[in-house]
Amino acid sequence: MANIQEIARLAGVSTATVSRVINQHPYVSDLTRERVLKIIGQLDYVPNYNATSLKKGATRSIGIIAVDYNSLLMSLVRSFHTIAQQSGFNTMLFMTNGECSKELVALEMLRSRQLDALFCLVRTNEWNIIESYTRYGPIVTWQRLTSDSIPSVFMDQYQGYMLSLEYLYSKGYRKILNVFSSKGLNTLERIRAYRDFIQMHGLKDSGFPQFHNKMSIYDGEEIAQWWIKQTDKPEAISCSTDEVAAGILMELQRAGFTVPDDVGIMGFDNTDIAHLLDLTTIHYPVDKQAENAFAVIKSMLDQSVPKLHSLAFNLIERRST
Amino acid sequence: MANIQEIARLAGVSTATVSRVINQHPYVSDLTRERVLKIIGQLDYVPNYNATSLKKGATRSIGIIAVDYNSLLMSLVRSFHTIAQQSGFNTMLFMTNGECSKELVALEMLRSRQLDALFCLVRTNEWNIIESYTRYGPIVTWQRLTSDSIPSVFMDQYQGYMLSLEYLYSKGYRKILNVFSSKGLNTLERIRAYRDFIQMHGLKDSGFPQFHNKMSIYDGEEIAQWWIKQTDKPEAISCSTDEVAAGILMELQRAGFTVPDDVGIMGFDNTDIAHLLDLTTIHYPVDKQAENAFAVIKSMLDQSVPKLHSLAFNLIERRST
DNA sequence: TTGTATGCGTTATCAC
DNA sequence: GTGATAACGCATACAA
């Protein structure tokens, strides 16, 4: 494979000049530039990126960490990739599948300078582990987290969940079942929203069990089975994700129930499946969150001040409520 | 950041010895090894991977190219990642979203030695473009392709589609509508399977229009609308993907029709959504395909002979037929 | 506007 | 067993 020296030799210039041409430096005469570019073209030469990275001390690539995929996360990934690309950064996606070791692969790549930064959508390892890697480069998360070494671009789920609950209330639902996802600060905020909600409207607590750690279609199916067995049934179910809502809806329909006549169902995230099944849900601007994440990383990389979007939730009314 | 020289200095040895320790070479006395490892630990030292890659002329990382995500592709990605990791290779995922430029990012990374090889699940650029990059490293695809520079781990869709059609026939369906996906060799094989199928059973061609390039939920919804309008309706619909089948099913149910009483629907791929909606579908071993892909790449990288799995289709009967 | 020389952090080939 | 030292391919400070 051709290298910069060969180009220099063939073009009858020094490697420094070739390098200048490649990096679009000023102060190269048009004539020599032409000549160098011609040889580069002829030899199909590309700079060895490993050498460049070594020399520059940066790779201009950013890792994105997720546990698994779903349409919401993929929108985030897509937006982040696009905005990063515009600033000349590549992204690489790490799907940890919930395995700590897979997440550590990404973390270690940051440590060994293969990555300049990390955007951690959903973590697997404990925060203190991840935090210990911030000394090797910027790490920004999408999850709710209060840390001074790991900035977060989360959106306050309290507001979003309250929006959902208030809407259900306005439609006349009173006995509401909450389905929460993984135990994190987001969930705590949603719980707080529910507490405030029943207090504000002078409702008494439903006495329904707490569903936690439910986020998949399969979880939804289980919850539907629970619902079917109850004598004192919830009038509406406010779900952690559209997937859970989808699972509930389909399982209930299979069992002969009708939505929203028998029970109202609210999704969350406004993903494709919510559209497919006509689920009322909560939309929020993940694209802006992705852009904010990149802005924060960029600013940490070149110690500037980030310019951020402000963010808001939105209710999408469909036919499940 | 600490480098190998600093470690050498502090341990009172040469960089060569440190390198030997790091790379687990034999012929290092236990005593010096201890001493070096201790300093490495103290300074939290990691080799700069860019330097290693530069020196070795390889990065031990492989790119995976996909257009978008769905559960089928993600199973492939997951399996490939896992098997690659076991051999000490990292993977990076490129979601092209159908944009040629995004795919070129991956291709160019191969060219500039950031990647040792590529696993192209679904291409975006023309094959001849992709083919021109094979001189920079192994490229293996999951799509059906006959090329001597790009090996493929596809499965013969003729068999799979025939399995679907024969099953429908056995259930008594005769007037079958085909929904095909993007115009590729896979689709051609499915078309061929259908031709052979009607001929084998002495059926006459349905005269239904050809649906091509249909692969999403939304496409399915459109097809459902078409179905509703027909007077001479297909008795069954054999779909290109589970997503299409899902779109059709839900749209028909919204319009008051019943599946499988009014029409039978077959999915393809056996993804999560097929489970969710109880779709009869065709399963096939993507995990084995991923392992084959890696085996081929590995063998091209160290010019050995790959050991491959043999592969077969499987029908999953559910309630949509 | 161009060239020389040096260093980025490793690995590997010698020699000892 | 261990240590010099020469690459790997590029970018840049300094000279000219």
Side-chain angles (χ1 to χ4, degrees):
Chain A
M1 295 264 198
N3 59 22
I4 204 173
Q5 304 199 36
E6 193 170 347
I7 304 296
R9 190 169 51 76
L10 262 49
V13 296
S14 72
T15 61
T17 300
V18 177
S19 178
R20 287 194 191 95
V21 170
I22 292 167
N23 296 292
Q24 328 225 28
H25 278 265
Y27 306 124
V28 180
S29 80
D30 289 354
L31 204 70
T32 49
R33 188 199 314 284
E34 293 287 307
R35 211 166 55 235
V36 170
L37 286 176
K38 191 172 156 201
I39 305 288
I40 287 181
Q42 282 173 4
L43 293 208
D44 185 32
Y45 164 77
V46 215
N48 182 319
Y49 206 87
N50 297 121
T52 307
S53 297
L54 172 60
K55 185 68 194 161
K56 292 210 173 141
T59 58
R60 288 191 87 76
S61 52
I62 300 174
I64 305 175
I65 298 176
V67 169
D68 55 6
Y69 69 97
N70 60 43
S71 19
L72 183 72
L73 293 177
M74 283 305 145
S75 311
L76 257 171
V77 169
R78 216 188 324 259
S79 302
F80 187 87
H81 174 87
T82 304
I83 193 86
Q85 205 78 42
Q86 282 166 16
S87 296
F89 282 82
N90 282 329
T91 62
M92 43 200 309
L93 189 52
F94 296 86
M95 223 59 116
T96 66
N97 206 16
E99 297 167 36
C100 291
S101 63
K102 285 198 184 173
E103 187 172 75
L104 281 171
V105 168
L107 260 2
E108 283 298 325
M109 283 178 74
L110 180 66
R111 186 154 98 103
S112 60
R113 292 106 175 156
Q114 290 181 82
L115 258 25
D116 289 350
L118 286 173
F119 181 25
C120 181
L121 302 189
V122 185
R123 62 140 243 263
T124 297
N125 286 275
E126 295 300 323
W127 280 120
N128 63 341
I129 306 255
I130 297 176
E131 211 147 10
S132 70
Y133 279 85
T134 55
R135 43 181 307 212
Y136 308 118
I139 302 180
V140 172
T141 184
W142 175 66
Q143 293 183 284
R144 182 179 179 124
L145 173 72
T146 316
S147 153
D148 29 63
S149 55
I150 306 181
S152 167
V153 293
F154 82 101
M155 284 181 68
D156 189 348
Q157 302 281 319
Y158 180 95
Q159 288 174 35
Y161 207 67
M162 188 58 98
L163 190 61
S164 176
L165 294 170
E166 286 294 352
Y167 165 79
L168 288 174
Y169 188 87
S170 76
K171 297 294 265 187
Y173 296 106
R174 289 299 176 270
K175 288 194 291 183
I176 297 172
L177 172 69
N178 298 284
V179 178
F180 299 112
S181 62
S182 57
K183 272 215 160 61
L185 288 172
N186 274 339
T187 295
L188 288 180
E189 283 303 287
R190 292 187 186 187
I191 292 172
R192 196 163 66 80
Y194 181 68
R195 286 226 189 87
D196 290 357
F197 168 75
I198 54 176
Q199 185 168 350
M200 272 165 46
H201 293 286
L203 301 171
K204 58 175 190 295
D205 184 55
S206 58
F208 298 131
Q210 296 267 358
F211 284 103
H212 279 287
N213 231 356
K214 304 296 180 194
M215 40 229 296
S216 72
I217 285 171
Y218 305 91
D219 293 329
E221 292 173 358
E222 281 177 26
I223 291 165
Q225 288 301 335
W226 172 89
W227 185 90
I228 291 168
K229 287 202 212 90
Q230 305 309 303
T231 46
D232 180 29
K233 293 186 196 304
E235 299 163 0
I237 308 180
S238 179
C239 299
S240 51
T241 66
D242 290 334
E243 274 80 9
V244 169
I248 297 177
L249 176 64
M250 293 310 302
E251 189 75 5
L252 287 184
Q253 288 193 357
R254 275 194 280 268
F257 294 94
T258 310
V259 173
D261 299 345
D262 293 320
V263 59
I265 301 179
M266 280 282 311
F268 206 100
D269 295 341
N270 191 30
T271 55
D272 275 357
I273 206 169
H275 162 92
L276 173 70
L277 301 177
D278 258 337
L279 291 166
T280 300
T281 190
I282 302 290
H283 171 86
Y284 57 105
V286 282
D287 50 340
K288 303 292 181 205
Q289 289 183 284
E291 292 181 14
N292 280 359
F294 180 73
V296 171
I297 286 175
K298 190 83 178 26
S299 73
M300 289 172 83
L301 246 23
D302 40 55
Q303 17 236 44
S304 59
V305 180
K307 287 203 181 113
L308 303 179
H309 299 282
S310 58
L311 311 164
F313 287 94
N314 226 343
L315 191 131
I316 310 288
E317 182 167 28
R318 294 206 184 91
R319 286 174 26 187
S320 68
T321 50
Chain B
M1 296 264 198
N3 59 21
I4 204 173
Q5 304 199 36
E6 194 171 347
I7 304 296
R9 190 170 50 76
L10 262 49
V13 295
S14 72
T15 61
T17 300
V18 176
S19 179
R20 287 193 191 95
V21 171
I22 292 167
N23 296 290
Q24 327 224 31
H25 277 263
Y27 306 123
V28 181
S29 80
D30 290 355
L31 204 72
T32 49
R33 187 198 316 284
E34 294 289 304
R35 209 164 58 236
V36 170
L37 285 176
K38 191 172 156 201
I39 304 288
I40 287 181
Q42 281 172 6
L43 293 209
D44 185 33
Y45 164 78
V46 215
N48 181 320
Y49 206 85
N50 297 122
T52 307
S53 297
L54 171 60
K55 186 65 193 166
K56 293 212 172 142
T59 58
R60 289 191 86 77
S61 53
I62 300 174
I64 305 176
I65 298 177
V67 169
D68 54 7
Y69 69 98
N70 60 43
S71 19
L72 183 72
L73 293 177
M74 283 306 144
S75 311
L76 256 171
V77 169
R78 216 188 324 259
S79 302
F80 187 87
H81 174 88
T82 304
I83 194 85
Q85 205 77 42
Q86 282 166 16
S87 296
F89 282 81
N90 281 330
T91 63
M92 42 200 309
L93 189 52
F94 295 86
M95 223 59 117
T96 65
N97 205 17
E99 296 166 37
C100 290
S101 63
K102 285 198 184 172
E103 187 172 75
L104 281 170
V105 168
L107 259 3
E108 283 298 325
M109 284 178 74
L110 180 66
R111 187 153 98 105
S112 60
R113 293 117 179 140
Q114 291 181 80
L115 257 26
D116 289 349
L118 285 173
F119 181 25
C120 181
L121 302 189
V122 184
R123 61 139 245 263
T124 298
N125 286 275
E126 295 299 324
W127 279 119
N128 63 340
I129 305 253
I130 297 176
E131 213 148 9
S132 71
Y133 280 86
T134 54
R135 43 181 308 211
Y136 308 118
I139 303 180
V140 171
T141 185
W142 175 66
Q143 292 183 285
R144 184 183 177 121
L145 172 72
T146 317
S147 151
D148 30 63
S149 56
I150 306 182
S152 168
V153 294
F154 82 102
M155 284 180 69
D156 189 348
Q157 302 281 319
Y158 180 94
Q159 289 174 34
Y161 206 67
M162 189 57 97
L163 191 61
S164 175
L165 295 170
E166 286 293 351
Y167 165 78
L168 288 174
Y169 188 87
S170 76
K171 297 294 265 189
Y173 296 105
R174 290 298 177 271
K175 289 195 289 183
I176 298 172
L177 172 69
N178 297 285
V179 179
F180 299 112
S181 62
S182 57
K183 272 213 161 60
L185 288 172
N186 275 338
T187 294
L188 288 180
E189 283 303 289
R190 292 187 186 187
I191 292 172
R192 196 163 66 80
Y194 180 68
R195 285 226 189 88
D196 289 358
F197 168 76
I198 54 175
Q199 186 168 350
M200 271 165 46
H201 292 287
L203 300 172
K204 57 176 191 292
D205 185 54
S206 58
F208 298 130
Q210 295 269 358
F211 283 103
H212 278 287
N213 231 354
K214 305 297 180 194
M215 40 229 296
S216 73
I217 286 171
Y218 305 92
D219 293 329
E221 292 173 358
E222 281 176 27
I223 292 164
Q225 287 303 332
W226 172 88
W227 185 91
I228 291 168
K229 285 203 213 91
Q230 304 309 301
T231 47
D232 180 29
K233 294 187 197 303
E235 299 163 1
I237 308 179
S238 179
C239 299
S240 52
T241 67
D242 290 334
E243 275 81 8
V244 169
I248 297 177
L249 176 64
M250 292 310 302
E251 189 76 3
L252 287 183
Q253 289 194 355
R254 276 194 280 269
F257 294 94
T258 309
V259 174
D261 299 346
D262 293 321
V263 60
I265 301 179
M266 279 281 312
F268 206 100
D269 295 341
N270 191 30
T271 57
D272 275 357
I273 207 169
H275 162 91
L276 172 71
L277 301 177
D278 257 338
L279 290 166
T280 300
T281 189
I282 302 290
H283 171 86
Y284 58 104
V286 282
D287 50 341
K288 302 293 179 203
Q289 289 184 283
E291 292 181 14
N292 280 359
F294 181 73
V296 171
I297 286 175
K298 189 86 178 23
S299 72
M300 289 172 82
L301 247 22
D302 41 54
Q303 18 235 45
S304 58
V305 180
K307 287 201 183 117
L308 303 179
H309 298 282
S310 57
L311 312 164
F313 288 94
N314 225 343
L315 191 132
I316 310 288
E317 181 167 28
R318 294 207 185 91
R319 285 174 27 188
S320 67
T321 49

